[in-house]
Amino acid sequence: MAKKYKIYLDVCCLNRPFDDQTQPRIRLETEAILEIISRCRTGEWELLSSTALESEIARTPDLNRREQVQEALGTAQQKILVTNEISRRAIDLTNFNIKNFDALHIACAEGNADVFLTTDNRLLSKALSYRSNLNVVVANPMVWWAEVTTNLLEGEENDPN
């Protein structure tokens, strides 16, 4: 039986389907994100939300985009509430030059998600540099999707996380 992944998508991922799809990378990332959300909708995998995600999404100036992103996040089966412990961990993560909201999202994902997905190159680069200090796998959704589906197709139980 395939693993039921718990997935935390950052706001960049949730916004990706509304970006310029004429760029190949953006289009491929969008396809991966939509497939991931689709598997979460069917219950095969689990999408996680957080009060941090809701707070950042609420700051989206484009009302139509904000509503569509909130709708996608509505697929989430679990909402992580930002606690004092998560806030303290986020502050610790900013010591690795990770921006405040990004640090808060990673702190929310730690201990709750199997994978934290982002399309933000700077965040991904920092997370990879400091991966031994993080308690969650951080990956690009397109790369992670390719690894997971390859493993499923090959019938492997190998976990890319």
Side-chain angles (χ1 to χ4, degrees):
M1 186 168 97
K3 177 178 172 126
K4 184 172 183 173
Y5 293 102
K6 289 184 169 194
I7 302 162
Y8 192 107
L9 298 174
D10 76 350
V11 176
C12 292
C13 283
L14 293 166
N15 272 289
R16 185 54 93 204
F18 310 105
D19 293 336
D20 178 4
Q21 298 298 310
T22 61
Q23 296 179 40
R25 174 188 166 182
I26 290 174
R27 188 173 58 254
L28 291 169
E29 286 175 344
T30 295
E31 289 176 22
I33 291 162
L34 293 176
E35 285 293 330
I36 290 165
I37 290 171
S38 175
R39 289 197 184 209
C40 292
R41 282 195 174 115
T42 65
E44 187 177 341
W45 295 342
E46 185 176 345
L47 182 64
L48 303 179
S49 177
S50 71
T51 50
L53 279 170
E54 291 174 346
S55 176
E56 186 175 355
I57 291 166
R59 298 169 67 182
T60 304
D62 181 322
L63 179 62
N64 185 43
R65 182 182 275 221
R66 182 179 347 143
E67 288 173 349
Q68 290 179 300
V69 169
Q70 288 168 331
E71 182 182 323
L73 193 58
T75 303
Q77 293 96 337
Q78 177 186 345
K79 184 193 299 183
I80 300 157
L81 303 176
V82 175
T83 62
N84 287 336
E85 182 181 344
I86 287 173
S87 295
R88 282 192 296 275
R89 176 62 176 151
I91 291 167
D92 290 344
L93 292 171
T94 62
N95 292 325
F96 301 114
N97 294 319
I98 296 174
K99 293 179 185 175
N100 291 345
F101 256 124
D102 294 334
L104 190 55
H105 293 309
I106 291 172
C108 286
E110 288 183 330
N112 293 298
D114 295 308
V115 65
F116 173 93
L117 299 176
T118 184
T119 57
D120 181 331
N121 283 340
R122 281 188 214 106
L123 173 56
L124 187 57
S125 176
K126 286 177 186 170
L128 292 174
S129 295
Y130 297 108
R131 76 176 134 229
S132 63
N133 301 95
L134 303 180
N135 300 313
V136 68
V137 172
V138 179
N140 175 282
M142 180 178 53
V143 173
W144 184 81
W145 170 255
E147 289 175 2
V148 168
T149 55
T150 298
N151 288 344
L152 290 174
L153 289 171
E154 294 173 356
E156 296 177 10
E157 290 299 319
N158 292 346
D159 184 350
N161 300 319

